[in-house]
């Protein structure tokens, strides 16, 4: 999330987006002007961490029914009694948006894993903000609950190590990839998608949007946001969430207004790991757990870009488990709709004469000697 300068990179393009739009948030720098419904509830769905009711591998959810599980049976989707919704009125949808697809059950061979305790669905209408460092209106976490979030990926080795640590504990998280990084490593981003994690975005080049606005105005800042979202959506090859995190957590009020009009939720944090500064895994674990014990719960900000995080994460998760913390998975009510002009801008970044979308294994292989 912090202080990376990214340049260059070739692009592998898969597809262009589908669906969505969203409402405005009260935060430290910006107060919502839109009216709100008096009814605002949180959406949750219980999930068992045990292996008995987990599917063997990521797979597409059955349409409207439930999740396939081993032996051809079906795990029911959450019932109305199991879930409620973080809902808002007064949204201004830009276009019709399909609902988010149900997540398949998590493959898990570890009967002692943490597992996801709840799934919280976010209605991003009007652009609500989450994370008490900047937005205090919507606190959906209970005592000793955490939501794990990772910025700045995808990145070789580090992201895969983070994915393994999460899979070993049967957990899902929210990732905020950088657009350029997504174009460098689309195959890694697809692994994040295949594992069932939620995918938001984190600008095109990790630019400080306050500095961008001073230099190039609002249009330049909007391009950073939208081009990043388009790149992540295209490289993921699947719908992405209308979730956004500002680089360095610097929120220009004008961009919060813009995201509100686009019905995109802004995510700050409750507990910042500072893993971009702490370089020893044991120190990172100690520091982060100390902050969580003090806070009691929170949206946790980490970086799958950082090697120290990829090394420390298994120990962090184990300590969370031992100390009774539970992990909540955040999903959107509806998926993001990217804008065609920024999809085209991402395509123009490609400097090669052709675009290829073939799997690497079909292009390069080892032959017998």
């Amino acid at each position: 999330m912090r202080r990376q300068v990214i340049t260059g990179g070739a692009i592998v393009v898969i597809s262009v987006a589908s669906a969505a739009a969203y409402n405005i948030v009260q935060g430290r720098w910006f107060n919502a002007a839109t009216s709100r419904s008096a009814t605002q509830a949180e959406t949750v769905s219980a999930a068992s961490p045990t292996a008995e009711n987990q599917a063997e591998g990521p797979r597409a959810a059955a349409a409207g029914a439930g999740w396939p599980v081993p032996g051809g049976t079906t795990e029911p989707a959450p019932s109305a009694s199991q879930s409620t919704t973080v809902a808002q009125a007064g949204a201004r949808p830009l276009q019709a948006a399909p609902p988010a697809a149900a997540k398949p059950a998590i493959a898990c061979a570890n009967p002692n894993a943490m597992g996801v305790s709840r799934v919280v669905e976010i209605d991003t209408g009007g652009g609500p903000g989450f994370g008490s460092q900047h937005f205090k209106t919507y606190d959906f976490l209970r005592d000793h609950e955490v939501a794990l979030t990772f910025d700045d990926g995808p990145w070789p080795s580090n992201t895969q190590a983070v994915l393994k640590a999460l899979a070993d504990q049967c957990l899902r998280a929210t990732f905020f990839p950088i657009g350029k990084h997504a174009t460098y490593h689309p195959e890694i981003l697809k692994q994040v998608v295949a594992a069932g994690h939620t995918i938001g975005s984190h600008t095109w080049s990790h630019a400080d949007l306050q500095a961008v606005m001073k230099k190039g105005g609002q249009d330049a800042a909007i391009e950073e946001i939208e081009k990043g979202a388009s790149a992540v959506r295209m490289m993921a090859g699947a719908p992405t969430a209308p979730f956004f995190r500002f680089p360095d957590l610097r929120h220009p009020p004008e961009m919060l207004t813009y995201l509100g009009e686009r019905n995109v939720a802004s995510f700050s944090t409750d507990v910042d790991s500072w893993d971009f500064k702490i370089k020893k895994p044991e120190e990172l674990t100690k520091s982060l757990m100390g902050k969580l014990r003090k806070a009691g719960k929170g949206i946790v900000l980490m970086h799958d870009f950082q090697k120290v995080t990829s090394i420390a994460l298994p120990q962090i998760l184990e300590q969370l488990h031992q100390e009774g913390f539970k992990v909540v998975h955040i999903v959107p009510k509806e998926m993001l709709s990217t804008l065609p002009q920024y999809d085209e801008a991402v395509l123009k970044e490609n400097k090669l004469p052709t675009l290829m979308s073939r799997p690497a294994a079909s292009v390069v292989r080892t032959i017998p000697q």
Side-chain angles (χ1 to χ4, degrees):
M1 186 204 73
R2 303 173 190 272
R3 298 187 178 86
Q4 277 78 249
V5 178
I6 305 95
T7 58
I11 295 178
V12 179
V13 175
I14 310 301
S15 62
V16 181
S18 59
Y22 312 111
N23 206 7
I24 281 172
V25 61
Q26 290 181 345
R28 179 177 296 177
W29 295 286
F30 180 65
N31 291 322
T34 58
S35 62
R36 300 176 186 276
S37 167
T39 319
Q40 294 170 339
E42 98 188 14
T43 294
V44 276
S45 165
S48 170
T50 60
E52 288 82 5
N53 54 8
Q54 314 228 348
E56 294 180 348
R59 54 190 73 150
W67 303 316
V69 296
T73 59
T74 299
E75 179 179 341
S79 67
S81 63
Q82 291 175 308
S83 61
T84 44
T85 310
V86 177
Q88 292 182 299
R92 293 173 286 170
L94 300 181
Q95 53 184 292
K103 297 287 184 182
I106 304 172
C108 187
N110 179 7
N112 299 314
M114 292 182 73
V116 171
S117 66
R118 293 198 296 145
V119 177
V120 177
E121 181 184 86
I122 302 293
D123 180 344
T124 60
F130 301 92
S132 61
Q133 185 166 329
H134 300 102
F135 310 113
K136 303 182 186 300
T137 302
Y138 303 109
D139 180 4
F140 57 84
L141 294 174
R142 302 167 185 167
D143 182 52
H144 269 65
E145 285 188 338
V146 297
L148 304 173
T149 68
F150 297 89
D151 290 6
D152 292 3
W155 204 249
S157 300
N158 299 345
T159 299
Q160 287 102 324
V162 166
L163 291 177
K164 183 181 185 307
L166 293 170
D168 287 346
Q169 290 288 350
C170 306
L171 297 174
R172 286 197 176 114
T174 300
F175 287 75
F176 293 94
I178 295 171
K180 279 190 175 183
H181 284 183
T183 67
Y184 301 163
H185 306 291
E187 73 289 350
I188 301 176
L189 185 58
K190 287 178 176 62
Q191 293 173 28
V192 181
V193 174
H197 301 288
T198 298
I199 312 293
S201 63
H202 194 42
T203 71
W204 167 247
S205 67
H206 202 274
D208 177 346
L209 294 187
Q210 290 185 346
V212 170
M213 287 190 63
K214 288 181 180 179
K215 183 177 180 179
Q218 291 191 37
D219 289 346
I222 289 170
E223 181 176 6
E224 267 287 324
I225 292 171
E226 294 289 0
K227 197 171 167 184
S230 288
V232 169
R233 168 64 182 87
M234 293 165 73
M235 299 302 109
T240 53
F243 294 171
F244 180 79
R245 181 171 272 152
F246 285 85
D248 295 323
L249 301 180
R250 291 166 65 85
H251 304 67
E254 298 88 345
M255 291 302 98
L256 283 170
T257 301
Y258 177 78
L259 290 173
E261 293 169 348
R262 283 281 280 131
N263 298 324
V264 173
S266 296
F267 280 81
S268 180
T269 184
D270 297 309
V271 177
D272 191 339
S273 68
W274 283 71
D275 57 355
F276 62 97
K277 281 195 171 183
I278 302 173
K279 297 306 178 184
K280 293 183 178 180
E282 61 277 11
E283 291 181 7
L284 176 60
T285 301
K286 181 179 179 181
S287 172
L288 178 56
M289 290 306 302
K291 292 177 182 178
L292 273 171
R293 291 183 196 108
K294 183 177 181 180
K297 63 178 183 177
I299 297 170
V300 181
L301 191 163
M302 292 180 278
H303 300 79
D304 55 313
F305 179 83
Q306 298 292 341
K307 186 172 184 62
V308 65
T309 302
S310 71
I311 297 171
L313 188 59
Q315 182 60 38
I316 291 170
L317 297 179
E318 184 60 33
Q319 287 203 23
L320 287 173
H321 196 186
Q322 291 176 0
E323 297 185 27
F325 284 92
K326 297 180 179 180
V327 172
V328 170
H329 181 210
I330 310 170
V331 300
K333 182 179 180 182
E334 296 176 336
M335 305 307 280
L336 177 68
S337 174
T338 59
L339 301 179
Q341 63 267 39
Y342 298 104
D343 295 339
E344 293 172 6
V346 172
L347 291 172
K348 289 178 182 178
E349 290 288 328
N350 179 61
K351 306 301 185 206
L352 301 177
T354 60
L355 289 172
M356 294 176 59
S357 58
R358 290 167 56 194
S362 72
V363 179
V364 180
R365 69 184 182 94
T366 299
I367 59 175
Q369 295 184 356

